[in-house]
Amino acid sequence: MVVKSNLVPRLFSVFFSVAAITLWPFIFVRKHPSFSENKILINHETIHIKQYNELLVIGFLVLYLCDWVRGLIKYKDPVKAYNRIRFEQEAYGNQKNMAYLQNNKNNKRNNSNYSWYINNIINCSNNRICFI
């Protein structure tokens, strides 16, 4: 469910401006039409909903936070740390593909639930940053 709200994205704009944020099961998007009507932005956040669901919410939150903290320690830059989060890499890499979540042929994970995330932790494939 998409919620148009300036308050929630503003609360999370500590290190950089946040246009939208997904807090399962809601997608909070700033009210301005350039954000709230942006199909690419909504698709990006919808990919996060899928990630939350696959990892039973808590798994997503733990891995997301671990990736970000490790990135902060390694790069000492919150924006660079954010860009190294595995979930953001997947969402940014597929946000323009409106069929990504529906079309298994375009879905790099082949709908394999959390195994995709575990494999990327172990083998660090696809030019992703590996922290473990």
Side-chain angles (χ1 to χ4, degrees):
M1 170 193 277
V2 176
V3 178
K4 295 178 183 180
S5 166
N6 288 329
L7 177 62
V8 176
R10 193 176 313 132
L11 289 173
F12 285 87
S13 294
V14 176
F15 297 106
F16 49 87
S17 181
V18 174
I21 187 165
T22 301
L23 300 171
W24 188 89
F26 303 103
I27 297 171
F28 295 94
V29 183
R30 289 190 186 257
K31 290 181 181 179
H32 193 279
S34 65
F35 301 121
S36 63
E37 296 173 15
N38 185 327
K39 291 180 183 181
I40 293 171
L41 178 63
I42 301 301
N43 194 49
H44 175 103
E45 298 303 328
T46 303
I47 291 170
H48 289 320
I49 291 288
K50 174 81 169 180
Q51 294 164 338
Y52 267 106
N53 290 340
E54 289 177 344
L55 293 169
L56 306 175
V57 180
I58 192 69
F60 173 85
L61 294 171
V62 168
L63 286 174
Y64 194 102
L65 185 60
C66 285
D67 279 358
W68 191 71
V69 168
R70 287 181 177 147
L72 273 179
I73 292 167
K74 184 172 183 176
Y75 301 108
K76 310 221 181 337
D77 177 352
V79 174
K80 199 168 194 177
Y82 166 80
N83 288 321
R84 298 300 190 262
I85 297 170
R86 72 191 82 213
F87 303 112
E88 295 301 340
Q89 291 176 355
E90 179 186 11
Y92 279 111
N94 296 287
Q95 67 187 8
K96 292 181 181 177
N97 180 356
M98 298 303 160
Y100 178 70
L101 295 174
Q102 289 78 35
N103 186 349
N104 286 337
K105 291 179 184 175
N106 292 330
N107 189 333
K108 293 178 184 174
R109 293 182 280 123
N110 293 322
N111 215 14
S112 62
N113 295 329
Y114 62 88
S115 63
W116 182 86
Y117 304 108
I118 302 304
N119 287 335
N120 274 293
I121 291 171
I122 295 168
N123 65 27
C124 308
S125 63
N126 300 326
N127 296 320
R128 297 193 188 288
I129 301 300
C130 182
F131 296 115
I132 295 176

